[in-house]
């Protein structure tokens, strides 16, 4: 972290919500999204000259499967963890591109399919969706909203119509999230809430409304918090989320607000309230072993826990789905779950009164605290 980031990190810990409880929230993004469908597609991208090895998401990130959930549930059900009831807030992408329909429209129209249909198309049954709901009902995961899709579909379709060769190649492999050399500061098009004009804002607003309706239909309850893809959003997006029932904004320390030639950092703190009365919660620790094997992620999070609890703050840990999926590499899932087991073990040893809660429960604790005070 650079000097400004270090200063803002301390600043964030000194403001907002405080609690004597040792609270831990685990937030995990990208569930439901199919980044790379299989190893064959991955290999075809490499053969076509598309650089995927520099991005862990194009090397390891794929749709979750039954074995991923079995492994996660087995870990949480170990006797040493059962009394503490760890839970992961899984932030869901509600739909994936319908490549066949988009292709048939000559890239003029965007079509999507709910992630539940992607499950069925890939696995041939509804067992995975049932497993997701069972895991949710057991209290191991708690879904929240991450977006209808993880692609800025307006820009994507425009570049496909322009016959962008790498995007066309990726499209034929049913991939959207590849890094490109000619996108400047963007690198890829996965910041789904980014827009350039009122027309695009209206399109994205509709996608948010539809995505949240899908969330309610599939999970049977409304999401109260949301996390913007790649942390890219602005006040207009917050207003749309508010109109659709979102009261809590999950965030990194810095929100990325789009400007003409890049992004402007806007820093937040947990318990901060915006003009719409929405509450920000800020991730202050990162457990992302799929991103690098040269970092001791367990020790890094333990240091962040010590700092958070010293300031009477909740520990909010980012762990993307990529760390828990084995469809492209079983070793990835196995090794990362071992590290997660070690992290949970050490947290419980060091802080025996620790409480694992989900993002909605944290939002309620913040609200209750402010009402009492």
């Amino acid at each position: 972290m650079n000097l400004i980031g270090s200063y803002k990190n301390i600043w964030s810990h000194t403001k907002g919500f405080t609690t004597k409880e040792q609270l831990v929230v685990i937030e995990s993004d990208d569930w439901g999204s199919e980044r790379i469908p299989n190893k064959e597609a991955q290999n075809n991208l490499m053969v076509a000259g598309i650089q995927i090895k520099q991005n862990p998401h194009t090397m390891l990130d794929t749709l979750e499967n039954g074995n991923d959930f079995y492994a996660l549930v087995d870990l949480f059900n170990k006797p040493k963890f059962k009394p503490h009831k760890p839970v992961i807030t899984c932030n869901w992408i509600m739909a994936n591109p319908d490549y066949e329909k988009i292709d048939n429209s000559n890239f003029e129209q965007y079509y999507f399919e709910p992630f539940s249909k992607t499950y069925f198309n890939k696995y041939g049954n509804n067992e995975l969706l049932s497993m997701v709901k069972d895991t949710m009902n057991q209290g191991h995961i708690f879904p929240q909203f991450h977006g209808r899709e993880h692609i800025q579909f307006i820009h994507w379709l425009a570049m496909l119509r322009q016959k962008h060769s790498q995007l066309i190649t990726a499209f034929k492999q049913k991939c959207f999230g590849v890094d490109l050399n000619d996108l400047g500061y963007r690198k890829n098009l996965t910041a789904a809430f980014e827009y350039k004009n009122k027309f695009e804002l209206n399109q994205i607003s509709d996608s948010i409304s539809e995505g949240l309706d899908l969330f309610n239909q599939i999970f049977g309850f409304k999401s109260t918090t949301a996390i913007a893809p790649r942390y890219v959003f602005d006040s207009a997006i917050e207003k749309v989320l508010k109109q659709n029932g979102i009261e809590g904004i999950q965030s990194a320390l810095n929100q990325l607000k789009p400007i003409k030639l890049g992004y402007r950092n806007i820093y937040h703190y947990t318990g901060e309230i915006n003009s719409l009365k929405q509450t920000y919660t800020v991730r202050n620790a990162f457990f992302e072993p799929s991103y690098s094997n040269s970092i001791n992620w367990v020790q890094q999070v333990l240091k962040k826990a010590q700092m958070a609890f010293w300031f009477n703050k909740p520990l909010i840990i980012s762990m993307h789905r990529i760390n828990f999926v084995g469809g492209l590499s079983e070793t990835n899932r196995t090794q990362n779950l071992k590290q997660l087991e070690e992290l949970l073990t050490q947290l419980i040893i060091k802080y025996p009164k620790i409480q694992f809660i989900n993002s909605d429960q944290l939002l309620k604790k913040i609200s209750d605290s402010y009402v009492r005070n």
Side-chain angles (χ1 to χ4, degrees):
M1 185 178 287
N2 59 32
L3 186 60
I4 293 176
S6 297
Y7 166 76
K8 289 295 186 180
N9 188 43
I10 297 294
W11 168 84
S12 181
H13 277 80
T14 62
K15 298 180 70 66
F17 172 70
T18 59
T19 176
K20 293 295 184 180
E21 296 179 299
Q22 293 173 334
L23 304 176
V24 177
V25 180
I26 300 172
E27 295 178 341
S28 183
D29 301 344
D30 300 342
W31 297 83
S33 177
E34 185 164 53
R35 184 70 170 261
I36 304 293
N38 50 52
K39 291 182 180 180
E40 181 182 0
Q42 191 179 62
N43 183 65
N44 289 339
L45 292 175
M46 288 190 283
V47 169
I50 296 176
Q51 298 297 316
I52 69 172
K53 292 187 177 181
Q54 288 77 18
N55 188 334
H57 284 277
T58 45
M59 290 301 295
L60 298 169
D61 200 12
T62 188
L63 193 68
E64 57 272 11
N65 61 41
N67 289 331
D68 299 329
F69 279 97
Y70 279 128
L72 195 60
V73 170
D74 284 347
L75 173 60
F76 282 179
N77 277 335
K78 288 192 174 186
K80 60 181 175 180
F81 298 140
K82 274 192 173 183
H84 287 84
K85 300 179 181 178
V87 58
I88 296 180
T89 298
C90 293
N91 294 309
W92 234 273
I93 292 295
M94 299 308 301
N96 291 289
D98 188 322
Y99 293 91
E100 183 177 352
K101 287 184 178 180
I102 294 171
D103 192 19
N104 289 339
S105 78
N106 294 316
F107 308 128
E108 292 293 337
Q109 183 68 41
Y110 178 75
Y111 295 94
F112 64 88
E113 63 181 26
F115 78 88
S116 53
K117 185 176 180 181
T118 309
Y119 282 179
F120 186 88
N121 290 342
K122 185 156 189 172
Y123 304 120
N125 54 56
N126 292 315
E127 290 180 6
L128 183 56
L129 182 60
S130 296
M131 187 180 297
V132 168
K133 292 183 178 180
D134 287 344
T135 308
M136 179 181 73
N137 292 334
Q138 293 170 33
H140 298 305
I141 67 170
F142 184 76
Q144 290 288 270
F145 184 69
H146 191 23
R148 190 183 68 183
E149 54 274 308
H150 212 311
I151 179 75
Q152 213 291 3
F153 60 91
I154 304 165
H155 298 172
W156 186 46
L157 289 185
M159 296 185 73
L160 288 169
R161 287 194 296 272
Q162 293 165 14
K163 307 300 182 184
H164 189 287
S165 61
Q166 289 184 316
L167 281 180
I168 291 289
T169 297
F171 182 92
K172 290 178 179 178
Q173 300 303 317
K174 296 189 175 181
C175 299
F176 59 83
V178 292
D179 290 343
L180 304 173
N181 297 324
D182 53 0
L183 285 181
Y185 63 88
R186 278 198 188 95
K187 283 189 138 182
N188 59 51
L189 298 172
T190 53
F193 294 170
E194 186 174 354
Y195 65 92
K196 288 183 177 179
N197 51 49
K198 187 173 181 179
F199 169 78
E200 291 188 3
L201 173 60
N202 289 338
Q203 293 285 300
I204 292 167
S205 298
D206 289 344
S207 82
I208 291 172
S209 298
E210 290 174 352
L212 282 162
D213 284 343
L214 271 176
F215 186 100
N216 191 18
Q217 291 171 28
I218 293 175
F219 292 117
F221 66 97
K222 293 183 178 181
S223 184
T224 54
T225 75
I227 176 74
R230 298 190 68 198
Y231 309 117
V232 177
F233 64 101
D234 65 5
S235 58
I237 295 297
E238 290 175 340
K239 183 177 180 180
V240 175
L241 291 169
K242 176 72 174 185
Q243 290 169 344
N244 285 274
I246 296 298
E247 299 295 339
I249 306 293
Q250 298 178 39
S251 178
L253 174 63
N254 55 311
Q255 163 194 350
L256 298 176
K257 179 181 178 179
I259 55 178
K260 188 173 182 179
L261 294 176
Y263 303 106
R264 180 163 69 90
N265 287 317
I266 300 177
Y267 293 93
H268 294 293
Y269 55 87
T270 293
E272 179 184 358
I273 298 176
N274 67 16
S275 61
L276 300 172
K277 306 301 182 184
Q278 292 166 308
T279 302
Y280 299 98
T281 58
V282 171
R283 298 171 179 182
N284 51 17
F286 293 84
F287 176 86
E288 305 283 7
S290 291
Y291 289 178
S292 174
N293 57 15
S294 63
I295 296 173
N296 189 326
W297 294 95
V298 173
Q299 289 304 313
Q300 185 178 94
V301 174
L302 291 174
K303 289 180 181 177
K304 297 295 186 180
Q306 183 179 28
M307 181 178 184
F309 295 152
W310 191 86
F311 279 101
N312 296 319
K313 298 292 180 181
L315 177 67
I316 306 177
I317 310 172
S318 171
M319 308 184 184
H320 278 72
R321 177 196 63 178
I322 187 176
N323 299 293
F324 305 118
V325 291
L328 296 176
S329 170
E330 288 189 21
T331 301
N332 174 66
R333 180 184 66 218
T334 302
Q335 290 181 344
N336 294 343
L337 286 179
K338 285 181 179 178
Q339 291 190 61
L340 177 59
E341 179 177 1
E342 177 63 17
L343 174 60
L344 295 176
T345 301
Q346 291 300 319
L347 282 171
I348 290 169
I349 289 173
K350 290 178 178 293
Y351 308 102
K353 295 182 179 180
I354 204 170
Q355 299 177 52
F356 294 94
I357 62 174
N358 62 50
S359 299
D360 178 65
Q361 289 170 326
L362 176 61
L363 183 65
K364 290 175 181 175
K365 282 183 176 287
I366 294 171
S367 177
D368 289 346
S369 172
Y370 286 178
V371 168
R372 288 195 302 270
N373 294 333

